[in-house]
Amino acid sequence: MDEMEEELKCPVCGSFFREPIILPCSHNICLACARNILVQTPDAESPQSSRASGSGVSDYDYLDLDKMSLYSEADSGYGSYGGFVSTPTTPCQKSPNGVRVFPPSVPQPPPQHHLLPQPGSLPPIPRNSCITCPQCHRSLILDDRGLRGFPKNRVLEGVVDRYQQSKAAALKCQLCEKSPKEATVMCEQCDVFYCDPCRLRCHPPRGPLAKHRLVPPAQGRISRRTSPRKISTCTEHELENLSMYCVQCKTPVCYQCLEEGKHGTHEVKALGAMWKLHKGQLSQALNGLSDRATEAKEFLVQLRNMVQHIQENGVEFEACLVAQCDALIDALNRRKAQLLSQVNKEHEHKLKVVRDQISHCTVKLRQTTGLMEYCLEVIKENDPSGFLQISDALIRRVHMTEGQWGKGTLTPRMTSDFDLTLDSGPLLQTIHQLDFVQMKVPAAPMLQLEECCTQNNSATLSWKQPPLSTIAVEGYILELDDGNGGPFREVYVGTETICTVDGLHFNSTYKSRVKAFNASGVGQYSKTLIMQTSEIAWFTFDPASAHPDIIFSNDNLTVTCNSYDDRVVMGNSSFSRGVHYWEMTVDRYDNHPDPAFGIARGDVMKEVMLGKDDKAWAMYVDNNRSWFMHNNSHTNRTDGGISKGATIGVLLDFTRRIVIFLINDEQQGPVAFEGLEGVYYPAISLNRNVQVTLHTGLPIPDFYTPGEADATGSVC
């Protein structure tokens, strides 16, 4: 309950709220304090400030730059109930809470005007009065209703009242016969306050009584005091009860307000339904904040344990250092003092960092706990309209506070280990160069699974050092197996923490791991990551390796050429294992050219027809017939050509180490080439009379069964 006390104090006077009112910015302020910080604007601005709240001006209309702020600093102001904000010339003061407060900038009225108002009434407010929120520093001009235009925060007032009563006097035991002792617990089921002796005698923790819930006396008093549900009336129609809720205006309204048409175009819902809805939202938000508070408490325990570990490790390290330095007799004495000083500085630095984090986390946890307790008390209120007046602001605060416990907040900023080792081996002549040296190898890196992925036959891996590791790292070694359960091999050595490995086998499972190294040696491997490459190859034509005369379109799936000579373009994926099939459709075919389709090495000649050199295996075809060609050798002339709309298929089977070609879904000639080994890229050569479109990710044709062939080499 003590943590909640700050939530119950006025930011101006620093005391508990008395008759709190709710400003449009959702902050609260005592009614008397609100009068004290009123500022009267110049009469010259009265035409602008006389606009009423119902004039259609938003509660937060931003102003011209020259009328935007009440301060000489960079605080933004806003207009409400009129929208004009002037700049006072009087300096600001500070409340007991340290909040800036602007006193009235106009002369005080004569003493006879300071008579106390009658109960239930407010003294007159000067015209063109302006009030500035002491917390967010937003400003607004009051309308004709003055401070009466602000709703009273009855929920906050009730919470303050209960809190003050719980602190007023110590609760006494109800079972002591003479001189009742101070109560230490209250049983919620028995509804009785007990001191420790009476609790042990009359309420033992066994049998049916073991299931009873015992709470602190102050909490028991608050739970016993149930405030009656108040029937709120409309501020504009005092005889009408508030029974509906305007969703757009976020305020309770009465039936007469609806009949007058003030909320005619707004969405209006039943007050009780919205009350339950907002209570549920606040309770749900509190669940998340409660989890963060629990984590914060555990984190504080961890930090306090770290203080003890740092002290123990520091003492142990210091003793070891002293023993080594004393062994070097007088020659080490001067250096010993320097080394001890260095260790002590490291010791104090670690303690300072952890203690600062403890202090910071304690303050934040105290604020979080206070807000939670305040919200729980607010939920107990039975005043729907009063609750709804503050529920949105509380829900936002709860979410904002929960966000402050985000990622990294509950992580220690300092490790308790001293990663230093004294090397006592050097000879006496080098004693003046004696210093701490790092003798530990790096810790095992951590693979960042959210950044590791595969695409086609490429794998991208990312890693980092453990967050608390302070050991220097000079580089990393990334290893992969062969995708078939074979031994690991190095694929990358360097200082980067992300690496993409290309040219892997399709439809293969690879194991990967990484380790770090420094001058002291190589550290442990990370956990092994298993990655699966794509089962079917999806690829496009590759502009980076193509001849400059090739023209690309359709996201690099369609190609043509601006030259009458044949030019080569390859795919952006390579193959060395498995069975793969892709097709190309002829979009344009003029003047009977003879394009070539097939596979090639990465260093194939790009300025001649595919198959002219020993780096390509191709089928070139015209409108009547086709030939197979490799190293400028033409074989297997076969009838049947292509035209516009024709489809050419290429089937590459590494299980049999062959390639065959298809035209319009029928095999063209026998097996084209055999004995294929190594890495091959899909390839095509064409001139300006031809345009083709690539189709990938296709299944193997139904007629083909890998591994079977007849004696003539034709596929069965």
Side-chain angles (χ1 to χ4, degrees):
M1 295 292 289
D2 293 337
E3 287 83 354
M4 185 178 64
E5 187 169 309
E6 292 302 320
E7 296 283 340
L8 308 180
K9 290 185 177 180
C10 174
V12 176
C13 63
S15 303
F16 288 108
F17 281 107
R18 290 171 294 179
E19 298 183 90
I21 59 175
I22 306 175
L23 299 178
C25 55
S26 301
H27 292 131
N28 300 284
I29 188 173
C30 295
L31 182 60
C33 295
R35 291 189 57 82
N36 291 336
I37 64 174
L38 286 177
V39 176
Q40 187 172 356
T41 60
D43 292 339
E45 306 294 343
S46 58
Q48 297 187 37
S49 62
S50 62
R51 290 177 288 178
S53 61
S55 61
V57 180
S58 169
D59 285 351
Y60 301 98
D61 285 341
Y62 284 90
L63 314 174
D64 296 336
L65 291 177
D66 57 343
K67 300 176 180 179
M68 195 170 187
S69 178
L70 278 175
Y71 318 108
S72 58
E73 305 171 11
D75 299 321
S76 296
Y78 68 92
S80 177
Y81 302 93
F84 172 72
V85 178
S86 63
T87 303
T89 58
T90 55
C92 67
Q93 300 175 352
K94 286 191 175 181
S95 72
N97 283 358
V99 179
R100 294 185 297 179
V101 177
F102 286 85
S105 60
V106 296
Q108 296 293 330
Q112 59 269 25
H113 291 174
H114 284 268
L115 298 177
L116 292 175
Q118 295 297 324
S121 65
L122 290 173
I125 301 296
R127 292 188 60 190
N128 307 329
S129 295
C130 171
I131 188 171
T132 300
C133 176
Q135 290 185 272
C136 65
H137 309 305
R138 291 179 173 177
S139 304
L140 58 104
I141 292 178
L142 276 61
D143 60 11
D144 294 338
R145 295 176 296 173
L147 295 177
R148 291 175 300 177
F150 299 116
K152 294 183 179 180
N153 193 338
R154 295 186 300 275
V155 173
L156 176 57
E157 194 172 11
V159 174
V160 171
D161 183 42
R162 291 200 305 271
Y163 181 80
Q164 288 181 315
Q165 288 192 17
S166 68
K167 293 289 185 179
L171 294 168
K172 300 297 183 179
C173 175
Q174 294 177 284
L175 298 182
C176 290
E177 296 180 356
K178 297 180 180 180
S179 302
K181 298 180 181 179
E182 183 175 342
T184 56
V185 295
M186 181 261 188
C187 176
E188 289 187 336
Q189 285 71 29
C190 302
D191 197 19
V192 175
F193 290 95
Y194 298 93
C195 64
D196 286 336
C198 292
R199 176 179 59 82
L200 296 175
R201 185 178 68 255
C202 304
H203 200 288
R206 59 180 179 269
L209 298 179
K211 298 181 179 180
H212 287 198
R213 184 169 182 261
L214 303 179
V215 298
Q219 182 177 345
R221 165 177 284 190
I222 291 178
S223 62
R224 291 178 67 179
R225 186 181 183 275
T226 57
S227 58
R229 181 169 177 174
K230 302 176 183 178
I231 301 178
S232 304
T233 58
C234 181
T235 57
E236 297 188 6
H237 310 97
E238 297 181 356
L239 299 180
E240 296 290 337
N241 294 333
L242 296 172
S243 56
M244 305 298 290
Y245 182 80
C246 178
V247 178
Q248 276 77 2
C249 299
K250 296 184 178 180
T251 182
V253 296
C254 66
Y255 279 109
Q256 190 168 344
C257 292
L258 300 179
E259 291 177 356
E260 293 175 356
K262 295 182 179 180
H263 307 272
T265 60
H266 295 177
E267 181 182 2
V268 179
K269 295 185 177 181
L271 188 66
M274 292 301 294
W275 176 38
K276 293 180 180 179
L277 176 63
H278 280 232
K279 271 198 172 185
Q281 291 176 349
L282 181 56
S283 299
Q284 185 176 3
L286 278 176
N287 290 335
L289 185 59
S290 176
D291 294 339
R292 296 296 176 271
T294 302
E295 294 176 3
K297 292 178 181 178
E298 297 173 353
F299 180 61
L300 281 174
V301 173
Q302 178 185 354
L303 291 179
R304 292 189 177 99
N305 292 335
M306 285 186 64
V307 172
Q308 181 179 357
H309 293 158
I310 291 175
Q311 291 173 336
E312 293 174 355
N313 292 342
V315 172
E316 180 181 355
F317 191 82
E318 183 176 330
C320 179
L321 178 62
V322 171
Q324 289 179 333
C325 289
D326 287 343
L328 298 178
I329 318 297
D330 297 335
L332 292 178
N333 285 335
R334 293 187 299 271
R335 190 61 178 171
K336 178 178 67 175
Q338 298 176 6
L339 296 175
L340 282 174
S341 176
Q342 184 174 345
V343 172
N344 288 330
K345 287 180 180 179
E346 180 71 10
H347 179 195
E348 294 301 324
H349 172 67
K350 290 179 178 288
L351 291 177
K352 181 178 183 303
V353 171
V354 176
R355 284 169 175 164
D356 288 347
Q357 193 171 10
I358 291 176
S359 176
H360 175 74
C361 191
T362 301
V363 172
K364 186 179 293 186
L365 178 60
R366 181 182 179 89
Q367 295 172 349
T368 300
T369 306
L371 177 59
M372 290 171 53
E373 293 179 356
Y374 171 58
C375 291
L376 291 174
E377 291 301 318
V378 169
I379 292 177
K380 295 177 183 178
E381 275 298 306
N382 295 324
D383 182 3
S385 61
F387 178 84
L388 291 174
Q389 288 173 335
I390 64 174
S391 59
D392 284 323
L394 285 179
I395 292 171
R396 290 194 300 271
R397 287 189 60 195
V398 169
H399 285 305
M400 184 183 304
T401 305
E402 181 183 1
Q404 293 175 355
W405 293 105
K407 184 178 180 181
T409 308
L410 303 182
T411 301
R413 300 174 184 170
M414 179 63 65
T415 175
S416 59
D417 295 330
F418 284 74
D419 296 322
L420 299 171
T421 301
L422 184 64
D423 183 5
S424 58
L427 298 175
L428 289 178
Q429 58 267 29
T430 61
I431 195 169
H432 292 292
Q433 287 77 40
L434 181 66
D435 202 348
F436 292 108
V437 295
Q438 183 173 282
M439 296 295 292
K440 294 183 179 180
V441 298
M446 299 171 56
L447 288 169
Q448 297 183 276
L449 301 182
E450 65 277 4
E451 298 183 14
C452 298
C453 62
T454 59
Q455 183 177 9
N456 271 344
N457 62 338
S458 298
T460 299
L461 296 103
S462 177
W463 59 88
K464 64 179 181 180
Q465 282 299 107
L468 298 182
S469 176
T470 59
I471 303 175
V473 175
E474 295 182 6
Y476 300 93
I477 301 174
L478 175 64
E479 297 181 356
L480 267 72
D481 68 354
D482 61 356
N484 196 27
F488 283 91
R489 66 187 189 280
E490 293 183 2
V491 296
Y492 171 76
V493 178
T495 59
E496 300 295 332
T497 58
I498 186 170
C499 178
T500 297
V501 183
D502 297 320
L504 302 177
H505 300 299
F506 283 92
N507 194 23
S508 299
T509 301
Y510 285 88
K511 295 180 180 179
S512 59
R513 62 187 185 184
V514 64
K515 58 184 177 181
F517 63 87
N518 59 16
S520 298
V522 179
Q524 296 293 321
Y525 284 106
S526 66
K527 293 182 178 180
T528 300
L529 177 64
I530 299 177
M531 309 182 74
Q532 175 73 37
T533 54
S534 177
E535 182 177 357
I536 299 177
W538 297 86
F539 59 93
T540 65
F541 290 116
D542 184 18
S545 62
H547 191 279
D549 292 340
I550 297 294
I551 301 174
F552 294 84
S553 60
N554 189 23
D555 294 330
N556 298 333
L557 291 173
T558 301
V559 292
T560 185
C561 183
N562 60 11
S563 172
Y564 285 106
D565 297 323
D566 290 305
R567 300 293 186 245
V568 172
V569 57
M570 297 191 301
N572 60 2
S573 292
S574 60
F575 307 111
S576 58
R577 179 188 295 176
V579 182
H580 308 279
Y581 178 71
W582 63 95
E583 292 180 348
M584 286 160 282
T585 56
V586 180
D587 303 327
R588 180 167 50 82
Y589 188 77
D590 303 328
N591 302 325
H592 310 302
D594 46 2
F597 308 87
I599 57 176
R601 303 288 192 185
D603 55 349
V604 65
M605 296 175 61
K606 308 295 195 315
E607 62 278 357
V608 297
M609 177 185 287
L610 192 69
K612 287 284 188 180
D613 61 359
D614 61 349
K615 308 295 185 184
W617 293 255
M619 175 189 74
Y620 70 94
V621 57
D622 58 17
N623 61 320
N624 291 319
R625 62 193 66 83
S626 66
W627 294 264
F628 301 148
M629 183 167 62
H630 169 65
N631 199 17
N632 205 24
S633 173
H634 307 252
T635 60
N636 296 102
R637 169 177 168 172
T638 305
D639 291 334
I642 61 173
S643 61
K644 180 179 178 181
T647 300
I648 297 89
V650 181
L651 197 156
L652 178 60
D653 184 356
F654 283 100
T655 62
R656 296 173 53 196
R657 300 191 298 171
I658 64 172
V659 61
I660 65 175
F661 296 97
L662 295 86
I663 296 181
N664 295 328
D665 297 326
E666 294 186 2
Q667 182 176 341
Q668 184 74 357
V671 172
F673 301 101
E674 297 178 319
L676 300 176
E677 291 183 349
V679 178
Y680 299 89
Y681 290 85
I684 179 178
S685 66
L686 73 172
N687 62 19
R688 66 183 303 163
N689 292 317
V690 183
Q691 177 176 301
V692 300
T693 296
L694 176 65
H695 304 278
T696 63
L698 303 176
I700 304 301
D702 294 336
F703 76 89
Y704 181 72
T705 302
E708 295 183 5
D710 61 14
T712 63
S714 298
V715 176
C716 301

